[in-house]
C-alpha cells in the first residue's frame, strides 16, 4: 500500500462517520446502517449510556408543517433536531451505487447543517415548526448520560394534532381539593381528547385517567413507573436470593445486551399493561372522571400524586403536572402541664363517647440536673393503668401501675411526656366491654428531685404489726418498717363499730390532708441505716376499753406522694 493510500484512510478514519460513508468503497457495507424515522409510527429507541443515537427523516413535498414528539422514560435525556439542506439538489440518477444510503448522498454533497431545536429533561417534549426546503434531511440526535434507557419518537406531518397522543388542557396542573388523615381528594382539568371522544355511543372508551400515588417523588411518565416497578421487583428477587443462599454470592442473570442490535426497533409495550398485572402499584386507572379521592393512606405522611391521560388504543399517555401533600396527624388528646409537687387526680373510662380513654401530661423538672420523680397508683376498680414516659419522641419506660404505689424515676431529658391508658383485667387495652361505672381513678404527683441520683427507697413491707401482750384497756402498741432515710411518719386512728366485718380499710388514695385533724395521734421522725433493723414503734393511748380501732401510718416524703401502710384493726382489752 502506497503512502498516499495510508494517509487517505487515516483522514477518512478521523473525520467521523460521514466521511467514512462518503469514502467507503462500493463493495463494502457500513457497520451502522442508517435508521429512518417513519411517519405516523411510534418508534422505540434504545439509548446506551453516553452514546448518541441518530435518526433521519425527510418530509413530503406537500408538507408545510411538521412536529416531532420525544418521550423519555426513567431518566433525563438530551435530544436535538437539526436540518441539513443541500445547495444543489442530488441528481435523480446518482453515479453512486445503490448500496449507498440516502444520508450519504447529503453528506457527500455541498450544504450546511442548522440546529433548530434542543431539549434536556425527562418530560415528553414536542417540537412543531415549518418544513424547510424540499431537498432537506432532518437529523434527530438522542443521548442519555446517566444510564441506558428507552425513548419513543413520533413524527407527524401536516397541521392539526396527530391524534396519537392525548391532549392536555391549558392548565395541566393537579390540584388538591381536600386532605384528611388517610385520604386526599384531587382535581384536574379535563383533557380535550376525553371530552371529544366520550360522547360516542356504542364504542368502548378510548381514553382514561390514571392516578399514581408515590411516597418518594413525582413521576413524569408511565414508562418511568414501569421501570421503577421492574427495578423494585428485581431488587426484591435479589434480596430473596441472598437470604436463601446465606453467605453465598448470587449474581443476577446477565441481560441480553451482548447480542442485541442497538438500531433494531423494539416491541412497544402498552403503558398500562404492567399495571394490569401488578398488584397494588400505587396507580389506579378506572374512568374518565376528573376528580379522584385516594384512600387508605398513612397519617402524617407526605405523598406525591401524578395524573396521566392514557390512550388505550395507541398505547400512549401524557402526564399532568403532579402535586404533593402531607396527610394530617392522628387526633391526639390534649396535653396537660403538671405543676411542681401538684397532686393530680385523673379519671379514665372506657365507656361512652364523651369519656376520656387516654390522658397526656407534660412535666418539666426544675434545676440543672433535670431529674424528677413520678409517683402514682390507682384508687378504685380492678384494672391497672399503663404508664408510658417519653422524652424527645423517644420512649424511656413503660409499665403497669396498680393499687401498689409506683415510683418512676425521670432523668435524661429536659421535659417528659406522660401517657396514661387504662387496661382491662386481662391486660389488653381499652375499650372495655362492660357497662356501668368503668371509671378508674388515679392519683399522681411529679416533683423535681434535687441532688438525687435514684428513686427514694420503699420500706421493706407496708404491713403494720400490733403486739397482743402490750395491748391494754386504753392503749395499744403498733410497729412498722421504716427506711434508712430520715423521714416523717404520722399515725392516724379512728374508732369503728364492733361489726368490723362490714367495714373495709381506708381508701389507699386518701392522703393525710384529707383526713380530719382529730384522727392524727402522733408524728415522729425515724431513720435506721440497717434496713433489717429499721423498725419503729408507737404506743397509742387514751382509748376506750373493748373498742375497735383502725390505725393508719403514712410515710411523709419530700418527693412524691405519701406512702400509706396497710390499715390495721385492733381491739382494746375489755378487762384489765
Amino acid at each position: 500500500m502506497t503512502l498516499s493510500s495510508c494517509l487517505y484512510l487515516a483522514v477518512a478514519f478521523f473525520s467521523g462517520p460521514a466521511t467514512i460513508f462518503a469514502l467507503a468503497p462500493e463493495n463494502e457495507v457500513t457497520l451502522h446502517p442508517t435508521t429512518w424515522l417513519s411517519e405516523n409510527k411510534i418508534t422505540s429507541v434504545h439509548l446506551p449510556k453516553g452514546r448518541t443515537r441518530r435518526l433521519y427523516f425527510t418530509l413530503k413535498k406537500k408538507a408545510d408543517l411538521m412536529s416531532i414528539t420525544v418521550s423519555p422514560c426513567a431518566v433525563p435525556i438530551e435530544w436535538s433536531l437539526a436540518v441539513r439542506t443541500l445547495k444543489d439538489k442530488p441528481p435523480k440518477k446518482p453515479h453512486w451505487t445503490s448500496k449507498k444510503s440516502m444520508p450519504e448522498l447529503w453528506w457527500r454533497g455541498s450544504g450546511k447543517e442548522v440546529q433548530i431545536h434542543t431539549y434536556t429533561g425527562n418530560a415528553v417534549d414536542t417540537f412543531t415548526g415549518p418544513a424547510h426546503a424540499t431537498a432537506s434531511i432532518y437529523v434527530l440526535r438522542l443521548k442519555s448520560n446517566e444510564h441506558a434507557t428507552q425513548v419513543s419518537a413520533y413524527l407527524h406531518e401536516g397541521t392539526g394534532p396527530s391524534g396519537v397522543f392525548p391532549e392536555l388542557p391549558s392548565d395541566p396542573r393537579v390540584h388538591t381539593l381536600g386532605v384528611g388523615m388517610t385520604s386526599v381528594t384531587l382535581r384536574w382539568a379535563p383533557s380535550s381528547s376525553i371530552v371529544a371522544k366520550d360522547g360516542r355511543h356504542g364504542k368502548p372508551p378510548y381514553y382514561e385517567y390514571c392516578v399514581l400515588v408515590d411516597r418518594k417523588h413525582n413521576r413524569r411518565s408511565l414508562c418511568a413507573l414501569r421501570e421503577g416497578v421492574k427495578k423494585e421487583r428485581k431488587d426484591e428477587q435479589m434480596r430473596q436470593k441472598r437470604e436463601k443462599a446465606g453467605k453465598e454470592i448470587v449474581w443476577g442473570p446477565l441481560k441480553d445486551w451482548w447480542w442485541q442490535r442497538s438500531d433494531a426497533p423494539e416491541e412497544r409495550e402498552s403503558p398500562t399493561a404492567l399495571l394490569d398485572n401488578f398488584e397494588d402499584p400505587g396507580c389506579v386507572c378506572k374512568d374518565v372522571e376528573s376528580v379522584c379521592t385516594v384512600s387508605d393512606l398513612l397519617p402524617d405522611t407526605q405523598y406525591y400524586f401524578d395524573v396521566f391521560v392514557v390512550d388505550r388504543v395507541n398505547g400512549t399517555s401524557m402526564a399532568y403536572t403532579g402535586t404533593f401533600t402531607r396527610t394530617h396527624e392522628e387526633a391526639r388528646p390534649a396535653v396537660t402541664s403538671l405543676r411542681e409537687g401538684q397532686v393530680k387526680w385523673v379519671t379514665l373510662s372506657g365507656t361512652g363517647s364523651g369519656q376520656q380513654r387516654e390522658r397526656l401530661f407534660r412535666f418539666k423538672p426544675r434545676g440543672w440536673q433535670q431529674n424528677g420523680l413520678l409517683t402514682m397508683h390507682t384508687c378504685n376498680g380492678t384494672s391497672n393503668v399503663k404508664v408510658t414516659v417519653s422524652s424527645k419522641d423517644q420512649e424511656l419506660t413503660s409499665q403497669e401501675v396498680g393499687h401498689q404505689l409506683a415510683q418512676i424515676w425521670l432523668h435524661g431529658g429536659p421535659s417528659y411526656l406522660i401517657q396514661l391508658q387504662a387496661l382491662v383485667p386481662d391486660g389488653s387495652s381499652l375499650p372495655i366491654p362492660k357497662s356501668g361505672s368503668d371509671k378508674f381513678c388515679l392519683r399522681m404527683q411529679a416533683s423535681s428531685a434535687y441532688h438525687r441520683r435514684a428513686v427514694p427507697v420503699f420500706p421493706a413491707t407496708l404491713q403494720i404489726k400490733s403486739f397482743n401482750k402490750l395491748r391494754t384497756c386504753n392503749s395499744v402498741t403498733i410497729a412498722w418498717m421504716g427506711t434508712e432515710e430520715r423521714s416523717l411518719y404520722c399515725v392516724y386512728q379512728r374508732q369503728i363499730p364492733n361489726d368490723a366485718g362490714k367495714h373495709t380499710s381506708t381508701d389507699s388514695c386518701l392522703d393525710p390532708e384529707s383526713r380530719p385533724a382529730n384522727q392524727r395521734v402522733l408524728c415522729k421522725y425515724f431513720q435506721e441505716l440497717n434496713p433489717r433493723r429499721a423498725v419503729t414503734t408507737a404506743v397509742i393511748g387514751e382509748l376506750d376499753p373493748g373498742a375497735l380501732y383502725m390505725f393508719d401510718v403514712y410515710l411523709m416524703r419530700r418527693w412524691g406522694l405519701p406512702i400509706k401502710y396497710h390499715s390495721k384493726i385492733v381491739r382494746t382489752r375489755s378487762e384489765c
Side-chain angles (χ1 to χ4, degrees), residues 68-72 79 117-120 123-127 318:
I68 182 168
T69 302
V70 177
S71 303
W79 75 273
H117 181 71
T118 59
Y119 173 80
T120 300
V124 178
D125 183 55
T126 300
F127 168 77
M318 294 293 288

Side-chain angles (χ1 to χ4, degrees), residues 14 105 109 155 163-164 169 201 218 230 233 332-333 352 381 406 441 444 447 469 507 546 550:
F14 288 104
L105 304 183
L155 172 64
V164 175
H201 299 283
N218 289 106
K230 288 182 178 180
R233 282 179 172 176
R332 295 182 178 180
C441 182
M444 69 175 180
S447 302
K469 294 182 178 181
D507 186 358
M550 177 181 290

Side-chain angles (χ1 to χ4, degrees), residues 435-452:
S435 60
S437 58
D438 290 325
K439 296 183 179 180
F440 308 97
C441 182
L442 177 75
R443 189 176 64 140
M444 69 175 180
Q445 182 192 49
S447 302
S448 300
Y450 303 98
H451 312 297
R452 295 194 66 96

Side-chain angles (χ1 to χ4, degrees), residues 69 124 126 165-168 220 307-310 316-320:
T69 302
V124 178
T126 300
F165 291 89
E167 298 181 24
L168 292 176
R220 304 300 299 270
V307 175
F308 305 92
V309 53
V310 179
T316 57
S317 64
M318 294 293 288
Y320 283 73

